[in-house]
């Protein structure tokens, strides 16, 4: 199973909105509504930000939102803040109790 | 508070073995599936393995099948990863994570495994 494809980097100025894409196939992203997104600051463990494509866990800012169209899922961060600078990974269920992560995207706040 | 604490990482020679542990607290451990995920230095996250609540159902990434074995001891609230025939490419931080509705949440702080001679 190949990793899902994400852009290596995305940047934006404070207050702007950015979108990170996560492209897979009909066997992963397109086949299940079980896409989740994780934020990872340097040297820290990942943190769940979005689950089941578009749901936010309690405690996660509503500036984070998720969506999916076909084989591509997206994470949008609105009102970009300095604390959002981190690596972001998508993940998808692929059946048979197995999962795949994306290649990861480094978000830079200019 | 849900807490996951990994241990057991270290330096091991190629071909060697290591057993990682993940101590869980703050939730009913036996009710949850659990994952292992790894991250090579400077690289992305890679799903490794999953186990169900009673330990009878497991799944693995193709890259580790036959060499890594996931297990659990619900009496001790502990998840394990037995790692055999280790290769340089197994060098990574290994995280345990609770499975929750097709997600990984929360994660432990990770334990570093270095395979080198």
């Amino acid at each position: 199973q190949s990793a899902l494809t994400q852009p290596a980097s995305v940047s934006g100025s404070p207050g702007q909105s950015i979108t990170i894409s996560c492209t897979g196939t009909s066997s992963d992203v397109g086949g299940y509504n079980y896409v989740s997104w994780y934020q990872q600051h340097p040297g820290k463990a990942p943190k769940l930000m979005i689950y089941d494509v578009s749901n936010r866990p309690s405690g996660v800012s509503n500036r984070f939102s998720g969506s999916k169209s076909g084989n591509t899922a997206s994470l949008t961060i609105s009102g970009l803040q300095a604390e959002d600078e981190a690596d972001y990974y998508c993940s998808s269920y692929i059946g048979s109790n197995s999962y795949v992560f994306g290649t990861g995207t480094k978000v830079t706040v200019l | 508070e849900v807490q996951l604490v990994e241990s057991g990482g270290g330096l091991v020679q190629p071909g060697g073995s290591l057993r990682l542990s993940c101590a869980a607290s703050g939730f009913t451990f036996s009710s949850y599936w659990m994952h292992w995920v790894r991250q090579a230095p400077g690289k992305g996250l890679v799903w490794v393995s999953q186990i169900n609540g009673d330990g009878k159902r497991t799944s693995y990434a193709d890259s580790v099948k036959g060499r890594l074995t996931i297990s659990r001891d619900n009496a001790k609230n502990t998840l394990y990863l037995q790692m055999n025939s280790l290769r340089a490419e197994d060098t990574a931080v290994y995280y345990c994570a609770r499975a929750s509705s097709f997600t990984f949440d929360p994660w432990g702080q990770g334990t570093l495994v270095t395979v080198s001679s």
Side-chain angles (χ1 to χ4, degrees):
Chain A
Q1 177 69 42
S2 299
L4 307 174
T5 301
Q6 298 180 231
S9 63
V10 173
S11 62
S13 299
Q16 287 187 329
S17 292
I18 61 169
T19 296
I20 302 168
S21 61
C22 170
T23 301
T25 69
S26 58
S27 296
D28 38 63
V29 174
Y32 304 92
N33 287 323
Y34 297 131
V35 175
S36 50
W37 289 90
Y38 302 86
Q39 177 192 65
Q40 185 180 35
H41 287 108
K44 300 296 187 181
K47 174 188 174 184
L48 177 67
M49 304 302 285
I50 295 288
Y51 68 95
D52 295 353
V53 175
S54 59
N55 294 296
R56 253 187 334 271
S58 60
V60 172
S61 171
N62 60 9
R63 298 185 299 104
F64 292 84
S65 62
S67 63
K68 190 184 87 167
S69 177
N71 297 336
T72 298
S74 298
L75 174 70
T76 297
I77 309 174
S78 58
L80 199 62
Q81 298 180 0
E83 68 208 47
D84 300 332
E85 187 161 293
D87 293 328
Y88 291 82
Y89 294 89
C90 61
S91 173
S92 175
Y93 181 65
I94 60 172
S96 301
N97 295 316
S98 300
Y99 295 80
V100 65
F101 282 95
T103 50
T105 298
K106 181 178 180 60
V107 168
T108 301
V109 181
L110 301 172
Chain B
E1 178 195 6
V2 174
Q3 195 168 12
L4 300 170
V5 180
E6 300 94 335
S7 61
L11 175 64
V12 61
Q13 293 189 336
S17 299
L18 209 58
R19 188 178 82 159
L20 307 182
S21 300
C22 169
S25 60
F27 65 102
T28 304
F29 181 65
S30 59
S31 296
Y32 287 85
W33 292 63
M34 296 291 295
H35 294 284
W36 284 102
V37 177
R38 69 184 182 184
Q39 185 172 35
K43 302 297 185 181
L45 301 172
V46 176
W47 175 78
V48 172
S49 182
Q50 180 179 236
I51 189 168
N52 77 327
D54 64 10
K56 294 181 179 179
R57 295 174 62 185
T58 59
S59 53
Y60 298 91
D62 288 344
S63 58
V64 306
K65 276 180 185 175
R67 299 188 303 116
L68 274 56
T69 302
I70 191 171
S71 63
R72 65 193 297 160
D73 185 336
N74 288 340
K76 295 182 178 179
N77 288 344
T78 302
L79 175 72
Y80 300 103
L81 186 67
Q82 178 65 43
M83 309 172 70
N84 298 330
S85 303
L86 284 164
R87 309 165 178 166
E89 53 264 39
D90 296 316
T91 294
V93 173
Y94 285 75
Y95 295 99
C96 63
R98 189 179 68 175
S100 180
S101 183
F102 301 95
T103 66
F104 305 78
D105 181 50
W107 300 58
Q109 87 289 350
T111 187
L112 176 63
V113 172
T114 302
V115 184
S116 175
S117 55

